[in-house]
Structures are given as C-alpha cells and as structure tokens.
Amino acid sequence: MKTPRFKSLLARLPLLNGPQRRQVLDALHPATGLDQVVALIDRVRAPARCCPSCGGAHCHRHGVANDLQRFRCCACGRTFNDLSGTPLARLRLKGKWLEYSQALLDSLAVRKAADRIGVHRNTAFRWRHRFLNWVKFDRPPSLNGIVEADETFLLESQKGSRKLDRPARRRGGHAGKRGISGELDCILVARDRHGNTIDAVAGRGALTAAQLERDLLPKLDRQALLVSDGNAAYRAFSRKHKIAHEAVNLRAGVRVRRRDNLAIHVQNVNSYHQRFKTWLLGFRGVASRYLPNYLGWRWALDGGRVKSAEQLFGIAVGRTNR
C-alpha cells in the first residue's frame, strides 16, 4: 500500500466502533506474531550467521522469500536464509511459532497445544520434535564438585510405529520379565550440587561401565567426586579412569552418610528422576526413540531455567547443522 492511502486509512481508525476495532486487531494478530518471529530469528542468527553448506561467514543479501531475508555465500555461491540448516527449515505458519513455544513451556499435550494455537494435531507433534531437536543439546559444559549419578528405567515403547519388532501390548503394560531386562530403557542422569544436569538414554537393560565412558566421562570433571549407589558399573568406571568415587548402600537402608564435612547421598538425582517421571505422565506414554527430546525438554523446564517463549525459540534456532 502506498503512503498516502495508508495515511488516509490510519486517520479513519478512530471512527471504528468497538466490534470493528476488535476485528482489526484479530486480523493484525497473525502479522504481529510473524514480525516478532522474523525479528527474533534475525537477532539470534546474526552474530554467528554462516553458510550451512561450507561454513563460510562472508555473505551478502540476496532478496527476500517466505518472509525471510536470503543470503548468498561469497565462497561457494549457495543461497540460504537464517533457518537453513536448522530443524525449523521449511516449516510454515511462522506467525504461530512463539505461541507454540509457550505451549511447550506449559507442557501441553499434542492435542491441547494444537487446539490452543489452531493447527492440526499432526502439525503440533511435528513442531514439538523440531523445536526440541537442538534444545536437548543445550547442556552445561561439565559437572564439577560433588556429582551424583544414578540410572532410572522406563518400559520400552514403540508408540506410533507402524510395525513392531515384538508382540503388541496394552498401553501402560508391564515388562514380561522380572527385574532389569532388555525390555527397559536405561536413562542415566548425573547432577552436581549446583543443579547442572546431563542425561542420556544409555541403552536397554542394566547400566555398564562402557556406557558410562560414552555418556558421562566427556562431561565429568576429573577432580569431581562421583557419588552413586552400589552398582558395580560405577566402581569399575571410577577405578579405570582414576575418579574419586563414593557409594551409598541403598539396599541396606543407608540414605545419607558423612565423609569429613561432605554429605554423601544421591537424593538430588533421585528427586530429578521423580520429577521427570511425574511430568511424563501428562503425555500418556512416549516413544523410546523420542526420549532424548523429552529429557532435554524437562531439563529446560527444571528450576525455571528457560523462562520465556522467546528464550526457548532462540535455543531451537541458535545452531546450524553443517
């Protein structure tokens, strides 16, 4: 719209009655959301903007498409926008992304989130795992001081799969074998006394020292004191890598014991397990292949670490997959 016509339209806005003003606001609301999302994408991506093909940082503007500025890489000649190479590339309805980020912060189920923002439930499910794709990697660089580590188990689930590699069972069923077996997903959680947390789906069945080397060792400060239960895998892992280790004999009823002025226990990490499992109940079961996303989602919410939809959205688009 040209400027004289826009000024004429703007001057007539005070003549609108109440219902008409509400209709105008409703019509402008999607555009307002879109403008917020585009501005946020530019602010998050501008400091580290680079070509997703070659990683080159030298580029120039190259037109606009789908409401986003496009760029051309001066090194390889490829064109891209700020969402290229991110999990949100090629997704539509950008004006509703911040609303959906708030739905994630509110831990809404798929159908409730779809109803709130006005999209199909399949879209809401697809957005959930696209948004959480990078959120699950937003972790502390290391764990220091006293580090509590313990594993918890969830029944393996193939929810949503078209083909099963085992006989079907009722939702919320039980494992066919007693104790810790290959029917259970092993979730390792390590947490220091500052609240920094890392977690991983270690595999199926009992935890092993090899899994600790893969999932815990890269994030564990070598001067840290590792505290665990009596699982032999922690003893073998600590002995091999010369890491200070203290065990709590939970089977004997020992919850807390003292070493000098230090309280030796795993209650912090066990409390985190409980919060995670209680939170999962609202989703009526989750597929095992998506567990890493839910672990990252829970870590973002724990203790109010991510406080706004803008912050969550910034994490979701803050990295480039080259």
Side-chain angles (χ1 to χ4, degrees):
M1 182 181 295
K2 294 185 177 180
T3 301
R5 188 177 177 186
F6 172 73
K7 289 183 177 180
S8 174
L9 179 63
L10 194 63
R12 299 176 64 182
L13 288 179
L15 303 178
L16 301 178
N17 58 31
Q20 291 171 336
R21 286 196 295 270
R22 285 192 292 272
Q23 290 181 27
V24 171
L25 290 175
D26 290 342
L28 291 176
H29 181 69
T32 302
L34 176 61
D35 292 341
Q36 289 178 331
V37 167
V38 171
L40 184 58
I41 291 172
D42 182 70
R43 185 168 74 246
V44 171
R45 301 290 298 158
R49 181 178 291 133
C50 61
C51 174
S53 298
C54 69
H58 188 36
C59 59
H60 59 81
R61 295 177 182 271
H62 190 71
V64 177
N66 299 319
D67 303 304
L68 292 176
Q69 176 68 53
R70 292 195 65 81
F71 302 90
R72 179 181 289 278
C73 177
C74 295
C76 67
R78 297 286 186 91
T79 62
F80 62 95
N81 62 32
D82 279 334
L83 292 181
S84 300
T86 73
L88 304 190
R90 301 182 184 277
L91 289 186
R92 302 184 181 185
L93 303 178
K94 297 181 184 65
K96 298 186 176 185
W97 286 0
L98 282 183
E99 289 183 81
Y100 189 75
S101 298
Q102 185 59 51
L104 289 177
L105 287 182
D106 295 339
S107 299
L108 294 186
V110 168
R111 292 175 186 272
K112 290 182 179 180
D115 291 341
R116 174 188 285 190
I117 65 174
V119 297
H120 193 271
R121 60 183 180 275
N122 292 350
T123 299
F125 181 79
R126 183 169 61 253
W127 283 9
R128 169 184 288 181
H129 295 289
R130 291 283 194 98
F131 275 62
L132 297 176
N133 198 299
W134 283 130
V135 173
K136 65 186 176 189
F137 295 120
D138 184 45
R139 298 292 181 162
S142 64
L143 303 179
N144 305 278
I146 299 177
V147 179
E148 301 175 22
D150 198 6
E151 69 277 10
T152 188
F153 297 90
L154 291 175
L155 185 62
E156 174 269 342
S157 172
Q158 298 182 32
K159 180 179 179 181
S161 299
R162 295 182 180 274
K163 294 182 179 180
L164 304 181
D165 57 13
R166 54 162 174 78
R169 60 169 179 259
R170 286 184 176 273
R171 183 182 301 174
H174 302 281
K177 301 177 182 178
R178 297 179 60 185
I180 299 174
S181 69
E183 298 180 41
L184 302 177
D185 291 315
C186 177
I187 299 174
L188 171 67
V189 178
R191 184 176 174 89
D192 64 23
R193 296 288 170 86
H194 302 290
N196 296 317
T197 304
I198 63 168
D199 47 48
V201 181
R204 299 272 172 82
L207 184 69
T208 66
Q211 292 167 341
L212 288 171
E213 291 181 9
R214 182 191 65 203
D215 298 323
L216 178 59
L217 185 62
K219 292 295 185 75
L220 184 64
D221 187 272
R222 296 307 175 91
Q223 305 303 317
L225 172 62
L226 180 64
V227 180
S228 71
D229 58 13
N231 191 331
Y234 294 101
R235 291 198 303 271
F237 165 75
S238 302
R239 190 181 304 115
K240 178 178 179 180
H241 297 282
K242 297 181 173 55
I243 295 172
H245 176 238
E246 290 287 338
V248 181
N249 192 350
L250 299 179
R251 291 187 176 182
V254 179
R255 299 292 178 182
V256 183
R257 62 183 180 83
R258 290 282 176 179
R259 174 188 167 183
D260 299 329
N261 294 325
L262 302 178
I264 304 300
H265 61 77
V266 291
Q267 294 183 5
N268 288 330
V269 71
N270 286 338
S271 177
Y272 190 87
H273 288 166
Q274 185 62 39
R275 292 197 300 274
F276 175 66
K277 288 186 174 181
T278 301
W279 174 75
L280 276 186
L281 294 176
F283 303 111
R284 305 295 180 90
V286 299
S288 295
R289 65 181 182 273
Y290 291 126
L291 271 178
N293 288 353
Y294 286 93
L295 287 167
W297 187 1
R298 179 63 233 178
W299 162 238
L301 300 178
D302 192 66
R305 194 178 63 85
V306 176
K307 302 181 184 301
S308 66
E310 290 80 3
Q311 185 181 359
L312 181 67
F313 182 76
I315 296 172
V317 299
R319 300 173 61 177
T320 299
N321 181 21
R322 291 194 293 271

